[in-house]
Amino acid sequence: AAAFARACGEKHGDVLPYMDTVSAAKDLDVIRRALRSEQINYFGYSYGTYLGAVYAKLHPERVRRLVLDSVVGPDDVWYEGNLNQDYAFDDRHKAFAAWVAKHDATYGLGTDPAGVEAAWYRMRAAVAAEPAGGKVGGSELEDTFLPGGYYNGYWPYLAEAFAAYVNDQDTEALVEAYENFGATGAGGDNSYSVYTAVQCRDAGWPRHWSTWRNDTRRIHDKAPFMAWNNTWYNAP
């Protein structure tokens, strides 16, 4: 994490002062002016809710309509917000398991949501010990299923890969799902760098690993799906 942050500062120190949500909101207003619009209609979800809220705070007279979905609490930016997100993603994962159980005739993973969820965690333990297709380990599996937390439309595709692995020991479907949903290339690396820069510039973060570790252990006991994954994602 320290090396990542140091390299970012050395390579992009000239732009880092502008990598924050207030600067992004100012950029948004530049776009408004370029479009010659007196007011904007704004729809934002996830981080977009915070960006929209900041824009509306800075320029309330320039907002005609504002629709926010899956709202980031402005008092939780960003460490507490990510801890809260762990619970939200775990709820979404449980909803996915319930949906798979409801469609047992299609996926054959059982009709009990808790049983389906347990099967998913057994799959995670299995690929952590022996990565599926030599590519999909425990972390990669979480990255693959994370998009399902955002969009129900991905559930059938993810459920097919899940069922193929559990019922038929078929790793190809899981690898394909990972390559479609979890794997990242240069574009993903760029997005991640921007993400970490903005979150770092927006607010202070705990500087002692013991705080991160203790909070994550506490949350993992109740909401294990993305707790450690989210911690490592934000650690740099």
Side-chain angles (χ1 to χ4, degrees):
F4 180 92
R6 184 168 54 252
C8 182
E10 291 173 354
K11 189 172 183 179
H12 302 293
D14 57 332
V15 298
L16 279 176
Y18 310 102
M19 300 296 290
D20 59 83
T21 300
V22 170
S23 295
K26 292 178 179 178
D27 291 342
L28 187 60
D29 200 54
V30 170
I31 296 172
R32 178 198 61 79
R33 292 201 305 271
L35 294 173
R36 299 181 180 180
S37 296
E38 291 297 321
Q39 293 181 309
I40 66 169
N41 297 320
Y42 183 93
F43 170 68
Y45 65 91
S46 192
Y47 170 73
T49 67
Y50 185 60
L51 174 59
V54 170
Y55 181 85
K57 178 71 173 179
L58 294 173
H59 306 293
E61 75 286 357
R62 296 172 189 166
V63 178
R64 183 166 179 259
R65 294 187 178 93
L66 187 74
V67 178
L68 307 178
D69 182 17
S70 304
V71 176
V72 173
D75 294 332
D76 297 334
V77 174
W78 282 108
Y79 181 71
E80 290 295 331
N82 277 287
L83 296 181
N84 293 336
Q85 189 181 54
D86 293 339
Y87 292 107
F89 272 127
D90 203 76
D91 286 344
R92 291 288 292 154
H93 191 57
K94 284 180 168 58
F96 167 70
W99 181 87
V100 173
K102 183 179 179 180
H103 295 86
D104 177 60
T106 300
Y107 302 111
L109 290 167
T111 59
D112 176 29
V116 172
E117 187 179 17
W120 190 92
Y121 282 107
R122 287 195 297 272
M123 175 175 67
R124 190 201 181 285
V127 299
E130 184 178 349
K135 293 183 177 181
V136 184
S139 295
E140 290 79 11
L141 186 74
E142 292 167 350
D143 291 343
T144 300
F145 280 77
L146 174 63
Y150 287 101
Y151 180 49
N152 294 12
Y154 295 143
W155 287 2
Y157 188 83
L158 294 171
E160 287 178 8
F162 178 15
Y165 182 87
V166 172
N167 295 331
D168 304 319
Q169 293 73 55
D170 177 5
T171 62
E172 291 185 8
L174 208 55
V175 170
E176 182 180 347
Y178 167 66
E179 291 174 345
N180 287 332
F181 292 122
T184 58
D189 287 343
N190 182 67
S191 296
Y192 179 66
S193 296
V194 171
Y195 169 88
T196 52
V198 170
Q199 295 224 338
C200 182
R201 288 274 299 132
D202 270 357
W205 290 72
R207 300 187 67 84
H208 297 288
W209 171 241
S210 60
T211 302
W212 295 67
R213 181 188 61 222
N214 294 339
D215 284 340
T216 305
R217 284 176 174 172
R218 171 176 53 83
I219 292 171
H220 185 268
D221 287 342
K222 297 180 179 179
F225 174 52
M226 288 299 296
W228 281 107
N229 189 300
N230 207 14
T231 291
W232 292 121
Y233 190 81
N234 287 283

